[in-house]
Amino acid sequence: MDIHALAAMSRNRPVYCWGAGRYGVMAMDALRRHGVGITGFIDKTIRSSRDDTNKILAPEAIDSPADGFVVVTSMFFEHEIESALLAKGYTNERDYVLYSNLKRWSFEIDVSGICQLKCPTCPNGNFTGRKLSQTMMSFALYCQILDKLITEVDFLPDVQLYSWGEPLLNPSLPDIVAYSADQGVAVGISSNLNDIRHLERTVQAKPDWFRVSLSGTGNQYSLTHRGGNWDKVASNMEQLARLRDLHHPEMIIEVNYHLYRNNEKNLDEIAAICERNGFLLKPNAAYIDPLDTLIDYAEGKPLPDSMLEIAQSLILDIDAVIQDCRLSSSDSCVRENTIVIHSDGTIRQCPHVFGSQYKLEKNILSSSISEIDRLFLARDLCARCKSLGMNNFYAHFLSHTKLES
Ligand code: SF4
């Protein structure tokens, strides 16, 4: 559904955003810019991050679709809220819409093309071909890109400030976060949290959510987060919680725990850290990138040595997954409408590829979004990927994800 259809559908009905955190407030601002008046919020915890927000109702205040149209504006609890709406007799795209369905495009802006770690499942650690350039995005370039997106994209409530680089290495990150907030665009960060020189200023700039990527504790951690130091990360997580409490209590912090065959035993330790600090814990089966190498492998080329050993440590056997993909190919892909903007402004053809041959000819500043749309529709890479069913490769791993707290 596009934003104009939503505006028409919700006309003359009360409209509620379910999810009153900063994410919901940012979505409300974006909806209002498009003429969708918001009556209020619904939220289980009855709180909001801004004083001038409308009334906040408890979920029990909404009994049926007659009570109002709902826009689900919680990123982390979208499915839970959708289940509650269905139980109240709501119908998708008639009485409610999911935030994730409202966005025609998702944007991932890799503000740092550099990472100090060399994780074996990440292209920054394992890729042997010709890579995209490894640079740091300047604040000026980021502002130009965001301004362009705001002008051209119908509904731009949020952008993700990372792809495979480490955003906290970019000294301009605090300015980038603050500029985004000034423009009414919510932002999320993911970090390995090994280097926190710019952390305090970043939290002060108020990002909407902050993800910490982990895979084990002690020596185990540095096998899969290669080059990282667990003691430092454990201490930095406590510091992150302190800075959140001090500067930005509404910031959602999520620990993304990558499960391998040999690190499930460390999960209780991570769960205790999360509980103590008020972090969400999201364990999920680790998978391997980049997709260009996996497609080559599915087509019969050998896996490079840099990926062979780690492939044995994954919870799922990649040969079995590739075989399943081949047998159950489909045309849809959840990543097709994600535009990844590399740190130098170039655009990758797919969020999961890393080879420099898979960037678009034009960069984000020299092509319009509708031009990118046309180029994306003609991607040979996607046709090749779908013919092997590899567009479903990651779904096999993500279906192992479970939210613990
Ligand atoms: S079809 Fe394959 S190559 Fe295309 S966006 Fe999806 S995962 Fe990437």
Side-chain angles (χ1 to χ4, degrees), residues 224 259-263 286 308-316:
T224 39
L259 285 166
Y260 292 84
R261 284 179 194 272
N262 49 7
N263 71 357
L308 271 176
E309 193 182 333
I310 197 68
Q312 303 300 319
S313 307
L314 300 179
I315 285 181
L316 299 183

Side-chain angles (χ1 to χ4, degrees), residues 99-117:
Y99 182 67
S100 56
N101 289 345
L102 201 53
K103 291 196 299 180
R104 168 73 176 82
W105 295 106
S106 294
F107 291 92
E108 297 178 8
I109 305 179
D110 214 0
V111 297
S112 164
I114 299 167
C115 183
Q116 75 277 51
L117 306 189

Side-chain angles (χ1 to χ4, degrees), residues 291 333 335-336 350 379 381-382 385-386 391:
L291 183 62
C333 174
R335 300 297 266 154
E336 266 176 328
C350 162
R379 282 175 287 192
L381 174 70
C382 291
C385 174
K386 287 178 180 177
N391 46 323

Side-chain angles (χ1 to χ4, degrees), residues 291 295 330-338 349-353 376 379-386 389-394:
L291 183 62
I295 289 176
S330 71
D331 202 42
S332 66
C333 174
V334 292
R335 300 297 266 154
E336 266 176 328
N337 292 334
T338 297
Q349 287 192 30
C350 162
H352 291 284
V353 297
F376 269 24
R379 282 175 287 192
D380 289 342
L381 174 70
C382 291
R384 202 174 137 215
C385 174
K386 287 178 180 177
M390 291 297 281
N391 46 323
N392 294 317
F393 180 82
Y394 300 100

